[in-house]
Amino acid sequence: MDLYFECNYGISGDMSVGALLDLGADKNILDKALNSMKLNDEFDYKITKQMVNAIAATDFDVIIKEHRHHHDEHNHGGHHHHHEHRNLEDINKIIDGADITQGAKELAKKIFKIVAQAESKVHDKDISEVHFHEIGAIDSIVDIVSFAALYDSLNVQKVYFSALSEGQGSVQCQHGELSVPVPAVCEIVSRYKIPVKITSNQGEMVTPTGSAIAAALYSGEKLPESLIIDKVGYGRGKRPYKNPLLRVMKISQP
């Protein structure tokens, strides 16, 4: 199976999980992974169909239990409330204890390391000192483990990405007002040479988690000139811009 991530309207962790579920990835694999992490007292989640411009998309919503706060990974700054701030070692232990394949564990760790390296550079800290409050500790763990488990289950051979479409302006976060793309996203797309397209949308369309997912899978390989679209999955974003959809296509050669 080959996949094409069309990121014309951004990419985030929850959009990516939703798109894979919509594409037909097994929800039971996600349920098994999340229940095995022993963090059920910290979060709940729901999967629903939502309409975006008359298109039915899958919405993956993580709910933080302590504050009954609905997950909006696009609003990665300013609105998250978390039980604790975990560093990379803490998160790797959670991933190691999850009931997911070795391939899924390696992918989840890779995605988190990409984010940690970016935050390390931005905040001028050693990677072991980076705590994941900037992008939402529980939110990101759930998104990334879910994505890695689903992606690994699809046995993907090749993956292609469009340019990552991003907004402009600024976003409020824990450290104050930041320009969009936010610093962690800038570091990730710069380090991995991922093309970015700035749109007229105001606000954040590419989150640190979304850009790290792209970086973990990005090969730079160009989409074939002709292809067959076998199936399409839509993942819904939470940000109120005009078309918060991530489209992932299962493709093959003619």
Side-chain angles (χ1 to χ4, degrees):
M1 179 189 295
D2 295 349
L3 295 182
Y4 172 45
F5 284 70
E6 185 201 70
C7 307
N8 289 348
Y9 297 95
I11 182 171
S12 65
D14 52 341
M15 291 167 82
S16 301
V17 174
L20 292 191
L21 287 168
D22 206 55
L23 196 64
D26 188 353
K27 178 183 176 291
N28 292 327
I29 290 173
L30 181 149
D31 292 336
K32 184 179 178 183
L34 297 186
N35 289 331
S36 70
M37 292 197 302
K38 307 291 192 291
L39 298 174
N40 303 61
D41 60 328
E42 296 189 44
F43 75 93
D44 201 350
Y45 63 97
K46 62 180 180 180
I47 298 164
T48 57
K49 286 283 189 180
Q50 302 286 339
M51 302 303 289
V52 180
N53 291 349
I55 296 172
T58 296
D59 179 85
F60 179 65
D61 193 19
V62 179
I63 303 160
I64 305 304
K65 283 189 174 180
E66 183 179 8
H67 297 272
R68 308 309 301 172
H69 170 70
H70 284 257
H71 168 60
D72 183 353
E73 203 263 346
H74 261 115
N75 279 335
H76 80 270
H79 299 292
H80 285 294
H81 304 277
H82 301 285
H83 296 234
E84 59 182 297
H85 296 161
R86 296 176 169 96
N87 63 18
L88 191 59
E89 183 180 355
D90 297 327
I91 289 167
N92 283 342
K93 286 178 182 175
I94 292 170
I95 293 169
D96 280 332
D99 189 0
I100 57 178
T101 64
Q102 188 59 36
K105 289 179 181 181
E106 289 172 3
L107 177 57
K109 289 180 180 181
K110 183 178 181 181
I111 294 168
F112 259 112
K113 186 175 181 181
I114 288 168
V115 181
Q117 287 171 333
E119 297 288 2
S120 170
K121 177 92 177 289
V122 168
H123 299 299
D124 194 24
K125 291 181 177 179
D126 186 85
I127 195 167
S128 64
E129 297 173 351
V130 171
H131 289 77
F132 288 88
H133 57 86
E134 289 91 352
I135 58 168
I138 284 294
D139 311 58
S140 298
I141 293 169
V142 175
D143 284 347
I144 290 171
V145 170
S146 298
F147 177 82
L150 294 174
Y151 180 86
D152 184 73
S153 74
L154 294 175
N155 297 314
V156 179
Q157 303 303 308
K158 287 186 178 181
V159 60
Y160 304 90
F161 280 85
S162 71
L164 309 186
S165 291
E166 175 63 294
Q168 52 184 290
S170 62
V171 64
Q172 286 291 331
C173 82
Q174 186 163 348
H175 304 289
E177 190 171 294
L178 295 177
S179 293
V180 175
V182 297
V185 169
C186 287
E187 286 298 326
I188 291 168
V189 298
S190 171
R191 181 178 184 129
Y192 292 88
K193 307 302 180 191
I194 302 172
V196 175
K197 180 170 65 177
I198 304 300
T199 72
S200 60
N201 277 330
Q202 292 297 308
E204 182 187 37
M205 296 167 67
V206 178
T207 67
T209 299
S211 60
I213 286 170
L217 301 175
Y218 184 70
S219 68
E221 195 165 347
K222 301 296 183 185
L223 195 65
E225 286 189 10
S226 62
L227 51 86
I228 294 170
I229 299 173
D230 297 309
K231 197 171 183 182
V232 181
Y234 295 92
R236 176 183 178 265
K238 313 294 192 297
R239 201 66 174 184
Y241 54 83
K242 63 183 180 182
N243 199 33
L245 280 179
L246 172 65
R247 186 159 66 167
V248 178
M249 305 178 195
K250 178 186 174 185
I251 61 174
S252 56
Q253 299 294 320

